[in-house]
């Protein structure tokens, strides 16, 4: 596709449920990033991949958060046992790497009730 | 101290005004710098990269001061359509090479 695609666009989960958020990056982009954005804040880094390798996961807030990119293209961010504080917009971005600018998807707005 | 810091504003300026935003970063090994723009409930979009020599794109001018570790964005002749949140973005160097960190964002409102 022409841009980064994320699904679902909106997700409502009951507290304690597991969720999986999908990101389809721009074809050929080796770097893929996940960010969490709370209302009124800038995007907060969660994790990033270069191809299938997860190079940095220091931003994942707890062990309930897990990300993978097994074939170096599509990535999934999984949140287990969701809590209300997980409510945010989850943004995925991809780039050619090496300091190239990021291209963002529309994000997934997660609401935990 | 946050890795990237911005004054959150808001900045409220009339059309035609010149407005400047600053951003400071803590990692002296940072390699690349960008300004992104984010409209309400939309994803961030690249506004411009920031080069050591400074660069200009129409009404927008970006400057980088490595010695003081700050980045600036100047908008001349503000338009209503410039109203948005402006995000300063820094790419880490060293062992965190490739990781991009965002500032909190500066809110700009341009009014008639």
């Amino acid at each position: 596709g022409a841009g980064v695609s994320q699904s679902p666009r909106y997700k409502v989960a009951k507290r304690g449920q597991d969720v999986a958020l999908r990101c389809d990056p721009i074809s050929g982009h080796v770097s893929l990033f996940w960010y969490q954005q709370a209302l009124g804040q800038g995007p907060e880094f969660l994790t990033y991949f270069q191809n299938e390798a997860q190079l940095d996961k220091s931003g994942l807030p707890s062990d309930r958060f897990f990300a993978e990119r097994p074939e170096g293209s599509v990535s999934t961010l999984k949140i287990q046992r969701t809590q209300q504080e997980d409510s945010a917009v989850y943004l995925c971005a991809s780039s050619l790497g090496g300091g190239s600018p990021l291209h963002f998807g529309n994000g997934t707005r997660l609401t935990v009730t | 101290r946050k890795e990237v810091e911005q004054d959150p504003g808001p900045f409220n300026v009339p059309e035609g005004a010149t407005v400047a935003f600053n951003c400071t970063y803590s990692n002296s090994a940072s390699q690349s710098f960008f300004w992104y723009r984010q409209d309400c409930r939309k994803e961030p979009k690249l506004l411009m990269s920031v080069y050591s020599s400074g660069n200009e794109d129409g009404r927008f001018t970006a400057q980088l001061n490595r010695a003081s570790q700050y980045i600036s964005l100047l908008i001349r002749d503000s338009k209503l359509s410039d109203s948005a949140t402006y995000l300063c973005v820094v790419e880490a160097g060293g062992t965190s090479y490739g990781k991009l960190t965002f500032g909190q964002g500066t809110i700009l409102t341009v009014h008639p």
Side-chain angles (χ1 to χ4, degrees):
Chain A
V4 178
S5 177
Q6 289 188 249
S7 62
R9 187 80 172 87
Y10 302 94
K11 177 68 179 178
V12 179
K14 290 188 177 178
R15 191 172 59 182
Q17 279 186 328
D18 297 349
V19 299
L21 312 181
R22 177 189 167 105
C23 174
D24 208 328
I26 293 173
S27 179
H29 278 194
V30 298
S31 296
L32 185 147
F33 297 77
W34 284 99
Y35 288 86
Q36 180 191 60
Q37 188 171 25
L39 194 63
Q41 299 296 315
E44 293 283 342
F45 171 82
L46 294 177
T47 185
Y48 96 97
F49 294 83
Q50 188 164 313
N51 297 305
E52 69 278 4
Q54 190 173 20
L55 297 188
D56 190 329
K57 56 181 180 179
S58 62
L60 296 176
S62 77
D63 59 7
R64 296 186 295 106
F65 287 70
F66 173 76
E68 60 183 4
R69 194 186 186 198
E71 296 177 359
S73 56
V74 171
S75 178
T76 303
L77 176 67
K78 297 178 180 177
I79 310 173
Q80 296 176 322
R81 304 181 303 281
T82 52
Q83 304 293 315
Q84 282 193 314
E85 62 263 28
D86 300 336
S87 297
V89 175
Y90 289 85
L91 293 163
C92 176
S94 69
S95 80
L96 290 168
S100 303
L102 299 180
H103 298 264
F104 281 88
N106 291 331
T108 294
R109 184 175 296 276
L110 173 65
T111 303
V112 182
T113 60
Chain B
R1 183 186 169 190
K2 283 191 173 182
E3 291 182 57
V4 181
E5 294 201 62
Q6 295 181 250
D7 178 351
F11 286 68
N12 293 297
V13 302
E15 274 186 290
T18 295
V19 62
F21 308 136
N22 289 330
C23 166
T24 57
Y25 60 95
S26 60
N27 184 353
S28 60
S30 296
Q31 299 290 323
S32 302
F33 309 89
F34 307 93
W35 283 100
Y36 277 71
R37 170 195 169 126
Q38 187 171 28
D39 293 292
C40 189
R41 301 178 80 86
K42 298 282 190 180
E43 74 276 17
K45 292 188 176 177
L46 178 67
L47 179 66
M48 59 197 303
S49 301
V50 186
Y51 303 116
S52 296
S53 54
N55 47 300
E56 189 174 307
D57 183 2
R59 298 182 293 108
F60 299 83
T61 300
Q63 296 277 355
L64 167 64
N65 185 320
R66 285 190 183 271
S68 301
Q69 293 179 210
Y70 83 77
I71 307 150
S72 65
L73 177 68
L74 183 77
I75 306 175
R76 291 182 300 277
D77 188 23
S78 300
K79 310 291 185 192
L80 296 175
S81 57
D82 293 335
S83 297
T85 297
Y86 290 83
L87 296 158
C88 174
V89 185
V90 175
E91 185 202 1
T95 56
S96 297
Y97 180 71
K99 173 184 170 183
L100 287 100
T101 301
F102 285 72
Q104 177 184 359
T106 299
I107 298 171
L108 171 66
T109 302
V110 181
H111 57 82

